[in-house]
Structures are given as structure tokens and as C-alpha cells.
Amino acid sequence: MSTAEVARSAARLRQAWGARQPQVAVLLGSGWAGMVDGLLDAVDVPYAELPAFPPLGIAGHAGCVRLARLPGTTRSLDVMVLMGRQHAYETGDATAMRGAVQTVAALGCTILVLTNAAGSLHGDWPTGSLMLLSDHLNLVQRSPLQGLGGSDRFVDMGQAYDLDLRRRAVQAAAAESAVMHEGVYAWMMGPQFETPAEIRMLQRLGADAVGMSTVPETIAARCAGLRVLAISLMTNMAAGLAAQRLSHKQTLRAAADHKQQAAAVLLAVLHSLVD
Ligand code: HPA
């Protein structure tokens, strides 16, 4: 995706939005889509009309960008919701979401909230647990910045996940009586799940959760100057940690089971990010 495609995508969204200006963008992963039900005054633009955005693989589930207002705000608090992501495992391309992330920044948003489904590496963080990413392991060793020139691509990753946003999110979750863990997310390429030996390796490396997304988006966002908050919903115990067989169906079922709680916490967190 080129700079011109990002500019055209931003222009198309501005045209749809008029004077509305969100500060926060949120990318919804598996299990998180329920939060859109609570939003008001929605304006949708399909990814297909945004040249910097990826086509989405699953037939009948074209992605779209929804601008909408968070409920319960006295003043209008608009959020930009990215409904759907392309994963690196679909094409082998870690740059899949770079154009979308750059468009978020081009539109003047300053915060990107990333959500995902993940496998838990902790015996005491069962399915349904929530974890803020405090850091990540890019074990895939691929970058969404490949192909870029200039010095901006040598981006500092010392505090990829914004400390102030994390503090706000923990407080917001507590106010919802939800426990928000914090930990390290390991990115594995997939689409196959891990072996039990791989999970033991990840535990030794200091990972708390494992998943197949988010890390390339975080890197692209940091390069674009966005502050990042990322939240995992544990949809299973990682391979070898429970008797259950892992499957996409099981991930989606667990995500559906915890959808309401995830949506309530996410709405509260979004509220808390903007003063
Ligand atoms: N491994 C990788 N990705 C995942 C998992 C997992 O166990 N669960 C949900 N996404």
C-alpha cells in the first residue's frame, strides 16, 4: 500500500464523516465484535472502498470501518472501529494491516486499541480471562515495516504498549468488576495451533499468552506515531495445558461465550482513554 492509497482512504473516510473527528481507533478481533452493538450514530464504509485496506478472506464477511459514538457520553465521543483484520498467516504478508494503521494516523487519531483472541499460558488464567499486553515477543521475526525507506522504520519498541493507557484500562476494568491481567504476548505465525513443546518453549521465554495477530499492527502503529493499547481475550488454554482439542470452531465458541463481558469491558476502557 502506497502513501497515495493511504491518502485516498483517509479522504474517503473524511467524506463520509463530515466534521466528526475521532481520537481513538479500535480494531476488533475474534470475540470482540459485540462492542459495536452498543454504539450510536454509526456510519459505515466498507474496506473495499478504501484502497489501503486489505480484502478480508472470509466470504460474506467483508470488513468495514464504522465511525460511531460511545453511549453514555454527555459530549460526543466518536470512535473509529475497524471491523476485521487480515492476518499474516493468510498470505504470509506481515504488512497486511499497515495501510489501515497508517490511515488511522492520517485521519488524526492518536490512540489505537488492538483486540485479539489468544491462548492462555497460565494455569490460573482460564478461558474468558482478559490480558493487557505489557510487551510482546515477535517470534515470527517478520516486520510490517519491510519495504519502507527512510529512518522512521527504525522504530523504538522500548515501550510499545503505552503505560498511561494501560493504567487507565486496568482502572476501567476494575470499575466493571472485571480482572485485567497484564502480560507478554507471543506472536506465532499459524494458522496451525502450537505444539505442547512450543508452548513449553514460550513459557520459558516469558510469554503469558499466544496468538496469531496484533504484533505487526503494534509495530506499524508505533512507526506511525500512534499510542497503542492491546487486549487479549483468552479463548482456550494453550496446547498441552488442558485436555481440550484446539480448533477454530472452539475459539469462536469460547469467544461467543465471553462476548458480552469483553464488550462491556472494552466500552469502559474506551471511555477511560479520553479525558
Ligand atoms: N494459539 C494461537 N492463537 C490463538 C490461540 C492459541 O492457542 N487461541 C486463540 N488464538
Side-chain angles (χ1 to χ4, degrees):
M1 71 309 308
S2 64
T3 316
E5 285 170 335
V6 171
R8 288 215 306 279
S9 303
R12 172 70 189 92
L13 289 164
R14 274 206 194 95
Q15 178 199 33
W17 295 354
R20 293 168 72 179
Q21 172 62 60
Q23 253 189 71
V24 178
V26 53
L27 172 54
L28 300 181
S30 308
W32 294 93
M35 72 77 76
V36 296
D37 299 341
L39 299 178
L40 310 167
D41 302 335
V43 177
D44 286 351
V45 177
Y47 285 6
E49 294 178 22
L50 304 170
F53 282 60
L56 292 196
I58 310 160
H61 289 264
C64 88
V65 174
R66 172 167 296 179
L67 177 72
R69 189 158 53 82
L70 286 177
T73 40
T74 40
R75 72 214 152 90
S76 173
L77 189 57
D78 279 327
V79 288
M80 173 182 182
V81 188
L82 279 65
M83 297 166 67
R85 57 158 56 94
Q86 192 182 84
H87 297 83
Y89 62 67
E90 295 174 54
T91 59
D93 181 6
T95 71
M97 294 301 291
R98 185 174 83 201
V101 169
Q102 288 175 331
T103 303
V104 166
L107 283 161
C109 292
T110 55
I111 295 171
L112 178 61
V113 179
L114 300 167
T115 61
N116 62 47
S120 169
L121 302 194
H122 275 270
D124 49 357
W125 294 2
T127 298
S129 301
L130 296 170
M131 184 192 90
L132 282 180
L133 276 64
S134 57
D135 207 340
H136 71 226
L137 292 168
N138 178 357
L139 292 167
V140 173
Q141 279 299 292
R142 298 267 275 281
S143 172
L145 309 180
Q146 268 159 12
L148 293 182
S151 52
D152 287 352
R153 68 190 140 152
F154 300 105
V155 60
D156 179 73
M157 294 295 289
Q159 206 207 91
Y161 301 94
D162 191 282
L163 212 46
D164 174 53
L165 299 183
R166 278 157 54 195
R167 192 179 46 75
R168 289 168 182 254
V170 168
Q171 282 172 2
E176 288 291 306
S177 307
V179 177
M180 187 68 96
H181 301 289
E182 290 196 68
V184 175
Y185 174 95
W187 176 32
M188 296 292 268
M189 178 62 107
Q192 75 285 350
F193 288 100
E194 298 71 35
T195 64
E198 286 167 341
I199 293 302
R200 289 194 297 276
M201 172 188 77
L202 296 180
Q203 287 174 317
R204 281 181 198 151
L205 293 178
D208 300 291
V210 57
M212 305 177 194
S213 68
T214 304
V215 167
E217 295 143 14
T218 298
I219 297 169
R222 294 304 297 140
C223 186
L226 293 164
R227 298 167 72 196
V228 177
L229 181 77
I231 319 176
S232 293
L233 167 65
M234 306 300 174
T235 50
N236 55 279
M237 297 310 294
L241 300 185
Q244 106 215 84
R245 265 176 78 87
L246 300 183
S247 68
H248 190 52
K249 211 167 130 194
Q250 190 278 328
T251 300
L252 296 180
R253 200 181 320 121
D257 288 348
H258 298 281
K259 181 176 145 165
Q260 267 178 353
Q261 158 89 342
V265 172
L266 183 55
L267 286 175
V269 166
L270 293 174
H271 269 292
S272 76
L273 300 183
V274 185
D275 283 317

